[in-house]
């Protein structure tokens, strides 16, 4: 049996299970509206932003290698995950719900991604210049 059929069947079963769980909720329309909003945000904001960055990188004449693309994907995923606490309304009634400084932590995580990426690229460039890195990854 072809692996694609097994994987496709697993995807269909997962979608059916998700639909069944959705219908078990007291107000399934709220989740459906949220999912629809996620599609609108993705197609209306995330995709155009990624395309704009790609165009700007191309216009600037930069060539993004795999490591840089990976760092951008990780930073974008981290930002997507961090958006709800970053955009929360201020002055909540229960201060223990979101007790951390999410903006500072998000910025520190982005800085770590940038620093590790630059360190990796720098070490590879030095190794290549010295002659240690004869093959490309």
């Amino acid at each position: 049996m072809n692996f694609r059929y097994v994987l496709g069947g697993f995807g269909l079963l997962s979608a059916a299970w998700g639909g069944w769980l959705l219908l078990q909720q007291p107000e399934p329309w709220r989740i459906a509206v949220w999912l629809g909003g996620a599609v609108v945000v993705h197609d209306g904001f995330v995709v155009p932003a990624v395309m704009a960055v790609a165009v700007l990188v191309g216009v600037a004449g930069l060539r993004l290698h795999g490591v840089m693309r990976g760092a951008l994907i990780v930073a974008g995923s981290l930002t997507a995950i961090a958006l709800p606490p970053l955009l929360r309304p201020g002055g909540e009634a229960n201060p223990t719900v979101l007790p951390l400084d999410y903006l500072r932590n998000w910025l520190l995580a982005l800085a770590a991604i940038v620093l590790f990426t630059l360190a990796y690229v720098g070490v590879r460039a030095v190794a290549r210049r010295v002659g240690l890195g004869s093959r490309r990854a």
Side-chain angles (χ1 to χ4, degrees):
M1 186 185 232
N2 197 341
F3 180 69
R4 289 184 293 169
Y5 293 125
V6 173
L7 195 58
F10 180 72
L12 288 174
L13 284 173
S14 297
W17 182 43
W20 181 77
L21 290 175
L22 175 65
L23 292 176
Q24 302 302 314
Q25 299 299 314
E27 295 176 341
W29 62 271
R30 287 185 173 210
I31 297 173
V33 168
W34 185 86
L35 289 172
V39 170
V40 168
V41 167
H42 178 269
D43 293 350
F45 298 106
V46 175
V47 171
V50 169
M51 292 175 69
V53 168
V55 167
L56 290 173
V57 165
V59 167
L62 298 175
R63 205 171 142 223
L64 291 180
H65 297 282
V67 175
M68 299 287 217
R69 285 192 304 254
L72 288 173
I73 289 169
V74 170
S77 300
L78 176 70
T79 300
I81 292 169
L83 274 180
L86 289 175
L87 298 177
R88 74 178 188 265
E92 60 231 11
N94 185 355
T96 63
V97 173
L98 294 173
L100 302 175
D101 185 357
Y102 288 96
L103 178 61
R104 183 201 65 203
N105 294 342
W106 173 68
L107 291 172
L108 287 172
L110 287 180
I113 292 168
V114 169
L115 289 175
F116 282 118
T117 303
L118 290 176
Y120 180 80
V121 170
V123 166
R124 286 198 47 183
V126 168
R128 200 173 298 127
R129 183 169 289 169
V130 171
L132 298 174
S134 60
R135 61 184 178 129
R136 253 182 104 143

